[in-house]
Amino acid sequence: MPMILRHVTVDSAEPYEIARFWSEVTGWPLGEGDVPGDDEVLVDAPDPVPGLLFIRVPEAKAVKNRVHIDWQPDERTRDEEVDRLIGLGAKLFEDHRTPEGRGWVTMHDPEGNEFCVEGR
């Protein structure tokens, strides 16, 4: 294998705060020694999954993400997970669920980054 995907890196205004949100979403711990005010904060995924690395940048998010992550709940239904994420601070952006139970939901994290929640 020529390369391994190590991290998915996300520009952010407040790396520690957004990393805490994603740590709650995923159940993965923050990187060892990461503290409020750090310019880089890792959400440490279990191997072989890449971690989520949040890097402080001075400019605000201005446009739609060119890449986003699609999530599939493991212990809950898609709809239960959407409700849980809203409770954690995510916002519903576009609802693509269909009456027969298929489809997905596009959401924004607290900094406005898009992600999707799919059904099983």
Side-chain angles (χ1 to χ4, degrees):
M1 176 185 301
M3 292 199 304
I4 296 170
L5 180 58
R6 185 169 172 217
H7 301 130
V8 174
T9 302
V10 180
D11 291 350
S12 59
E14 297 294 336
Y16 185 83
E17 286 74 16
I18 197 69
R20 278 191 28 224
F21 167 81
W22 282 105
S23 176
E24 287 288 321
V25 168
T26 61
W28 305 338
L30 295 181
E32 188 176 325
D34 287 342
V35 297
D38 281 354
D39 289 334
E40 298 180 10
V41 179
L42 177 65
V43 178
D44 199 9
D47 284 335
V49 178
L52 301 173
L53 181 62
F54 297 90
I55 306 285
R56 185 181 313 278
V57 297
E59 63 276 359
K61 182 178 181 299
V63 298
K64 183 181 183 299
N65 294 12
R66 295 290 302 253
V67 173
H68 71 260
I69 299 172
D70 292 341
W71 296 95
Q72 183 179 50
D74 189 35
E75 298 175 355
R76 287 173 279 282
T77 68
R78 176 203 54 218
D79 297 344
E80 291 169 338
E81 188 66 11
V82 166
D83 290 342
R84 184 180 81 90
L85 296 172
I86 289 170
L88 292 173
K91 292 185 174 43
L92 192 138
F93 177 61
E94 295 177 342
D95 194 333
H96 299 277
R97 292 177 276 195
T98 62
E100 68 274 2
R102 299 189 60 146
W104 69 95
V105 176
T106 303
M107 304 187 80
H108 285 167
D109 74 11
E111 287 199 357
N113 298 299
E114 296 89 9
F115 65 97
C116 291
V117 180
E118 301 176 346
R120 291 188 251 179

